[in-house]
Amino acid sequence: MIFRAVEDADLIVRARRGDVEAFNLLVSRWEKRVFNYLLRLTGSPDDSLDLSQDVFLKAYQNIRKLDDPARFGPWLFRIAHNEACSDFRKRRPEPHEDAAALADREAAPGIALDLSLAVSTALDRLTAEQREAVVLKVYQGFKFEEMAEILGAPVSTVKSRLYTALDLLKEELAPANKRGTK
Amino acid sequence: MMDSGCDREQLRDFAFDELAAPARAEMERHLAGCAACAAELAELQLTTAALRVLPDREIPQRIAFVSDKVFQPSPVVRFFSSFWNSGAQLAFASSCLIAVAIVFSAYRRPAEIQSQPHSVVNAALTRDELSREMYARINKAVSDAVARVHEEDARVTKAALESADRKAEQQRRELMVAWGEQMNTLQKRLGVLTEYAMAGPERNPVSGQ
């Protein structure tokens, strides 16, 4: 993990000098995470791909403003968060697919279909802020301080959003958990 | 049901590995003796495990940027851009400028106040010396000009005198030549008259008329 962080920092230094290939390598390491983060916020693969491209373009344009290369991840996700918020303001997200189709698309092999469906449905019932907190913590594995940096909110607010969301998800998923783990 | 003395938030922080080592060790000890907290933790872990059944999707299209020299900022622009975007570098540059200004002002500072009268006296002396020097130069220039005028007058006068002498000499010679010719003519006439006088009255042209 430390070795990877040093490598990213080196790529960032090279990208700051105008080395596009170094930045492309950086993109290849982070694009899947950024895309999935945006996908779980927007629910639309096409929108998420467009937003991901915008995120990395802005990152390239502003990479000289990144003070600490070790904070590249939260900095990049802060850009992604801002892009998603900007996109939400421009157009309210539409229900792209029904829950069954979403579960069918995302279900992992070997996992009970109803659990995947229940998870997708439960996530959709959260508010956008709660869902984003869950995505950043559970799916992206950020620390609370990093989440606060990404969301531009205090750590206490971030924790409150996450734990409220988890309480709701626990109630929603309790029956599905029992069925899915049978 | 959790005991009222249990810290639910700390339990959740523990579940997400957000506790420092001492607090984490304390929570582990608490969990060993608190069935309610252990059950709460198990439920939380089950919920997060359920959430993780949704796998990450592959990005449908790779993102890459093309290096185009036309759109790349020049090295100079990149340098200044990075320079001005860096607070530390800007602060360093400001410090350098202030230091240079201090050194420059130290070298350019005017003389001490005590030395000012001396400087005034020196300035007065210098002014008198300059006046004397100026007058001396003016006098010398005037003397030189007068001398040059006298020399020129003398040269012109001498030339005029020489020219007049030459003309007078030439006129004297011309007069001498003319006078000599008249003398010759008179001598010839005198010789003819003498011959006639000696030859007789018949050959006298005057009496023969």
Side-chain angles (χ1 to χ4, degrees):
Chain A
M1 199 68 179
I2 294 171
F3 179 63
R4 172 62 178 271
V6 171
E7 279 190 337
D8 276 358
D10 182 50
L11 292 174
I12 290 163
V13 169
R14 285 168 54 192
R16 279 176 168 171
R17 293 182 193 139
D19 187 343
V20 177
E21 290 312 312
F23 188 75
N24 279 337
L25 188 53
L26 209 55
V27 169
S28 69
R29 290 179 177 181
W30 287 88
E31 62 183 358
K32 186 177 177 182
R33 286 185 66 181
V34 170
F35 171 75
N36 278 280
Y37 164 71
L38 291 167
L39 179 61
R40 287 182 171 121
L41 296 186
T42 64
S44 164
D46 292 338
D47 291 347
S48 302
L49 181 60
D50 290 343
L51 286 173
S52 298
Q53 289 170 341
D54 293 343
V55 166
F56 284 106
L57 180 61
K58 286 202 171 178
Y60 183 69
Q61 289 170 337
N62 295 286
I63 198 160
R64 292 176 193 89
K65 294 179 182 171
L66 173 61
D67 293 328
D68 182 6
R71 308 287 295 175
F72 177 73
W75 177 78
L76 183 66
F77 273 76
R78 172 72 179 164
I79 296 174
H81 166 79
N82 289 338
E83 286 295 304
C85 289
S86 177
D87 189 60
F88 279 137
R89 278 193 292 272
K90 277 189 268 186
R91 48 177 176 173
R92 300 297 302 170
E94 299 168 3
H96 296 281
E97 298 165 285
D98 59 80
L102 192 69
D104 182 52
R105 187 192 66 203
E106 293 185 335
I111 301 295
L113 182 64
D114 57 349
L115 179 58
S116 296
L117 175 62
V119 169
S120 297
T121 307
L123 282 172
D124 285 343
R125 286 180 182 167
L126 298 176
T127 66
E129 290 176 339
Q130 290 169 345
R131 186 164 57 249
E132 188 170 18
V134 170
V135 169
L136 287 172
K137 187 66 185 173
V138 176
Y139 293 104
Q140 300 295 337
F142 282 111
K143 294 286 183 184
F144 285 134
E145 284 187 4
E146 293 172 330
M147 290 171 65
E149 185 180 336
I150 293 166
L151 300 174
V155 169
S156 58
T157 303
V158 171
K159 287 169 76 171
S160 172
R161 288 177 190 170
L162 176 68
Y163 292 152
T164 303
L166 287 174
D167 283 339
L168 294 169
L169 289 169
K170 187 174 73 175
E171 289 179 14
E172 288 279 335
L173 297 175
N177 265 335
K178 286 172 187 169
R179 288 195 302 273
T181 54
K182 275 178 187 174
Chain B
M1 191 69 182
M2 288 180 70
D3 191 88
S4 59
C6 297
D7 189 336
R8 196 177 185 208
E9 184 177 332
Q10 200 158 27
L11 176 67
R12 292 173 165 188
D13 288 349
F14 174 81
F16 286 110
D17 196 21
E18 292 273 3
L19 286 181
R24 183 172 184 80
E26 187 181 343
M27 179 55 70
E28 284 171 350
R29 284 194 297 275
H30 174 76
L31 284 169
C34 181
C37 283
E40 173 85 9
L41 178 64
E43 284 183 359
L44 189 59
Q45 288 171 337
L46 189 62
T47 302
T48 54
L51 290 171
R52 290 191 179 108
V53 301
L54 297 181
D56 280 349
R57 292 189 63 189
E58 287 299 325
I59 189 164
Q61 182 184 332
R62 301 299 301 272
I63 300 170
F65 295 87
V66 178
S67 175
D68 192 333
K69 296 292 180 189
V70 173
F71 297 105
Q72 289 292 315
S74 68
V76 176
V77 172
R78 283 205 302 272
F79 171 76
F80 279 106
S81 177
S82 63
F83 181 82
W84 290 113
N85 287 332
S86 164
Q89 285 175 314
L90 204 55
F92 177 73
S94 302
S95 305
C96 289
L97 280 176
I98 291 169
V100 168
I102 290 170
V103 171
F104 183 73
S105 64
Y107 276 104
R108 293 278 298 173
R109 185 184 297 170
E112 296 293 331
I113 294 174
Q114 291 82 353
S115 65
Q116 276 187 351
H118 182 65
S119 299
V120 171
V121 171
N122 282 345
L125 288 173
T126 305
R127 197 160 52 242
D128 289 343
E129 289 173 358
L130 283 173
S131 298
R132 280 197 297 275
E133 177 71 16
M134 184 176 68
Y135 284 126
R137 289 187 182 186
I138 289 171
N139 289 333
K140 185 175 184 303
V142 170
S143 301
D144 291 345
V146 170
R148 278 197 300 275
V149 169
H150 284 310
E151 284 178 8
E152 184 68 15
D153 285 347
R155 188 182 63 75
V156 170
T157 304
K158 185 182 176 184
L161 287 173
E162 287 175 354
S163 175
D165 287 346
R166 278 197 301 274
K167 283 183 179 177
E169 179 65 21
Q170 189 176 0
Q171 286 175 352
R172 190 180 65 81
R173 286 181 182 173
E174 287 173 357
L175 285 173
M176 289 283 288
V177 170
W179 196 34
E181 287 176 352
Q182 286 178 354
M183 285 296 290
N184 288 333
T185 304
L186 288 174
Q187 282 179 349
K188 286 178 182 174
R189 283 182 180 178
L190 185 59
V192 169
L193 289 175
T194 304
E195 283 179 8
Y196 277 113
M198 291 188 63
E202 62 273 16
R203 294 192 60 186
N204 190 344
V206 179
S207 60
Q209 287 181 349

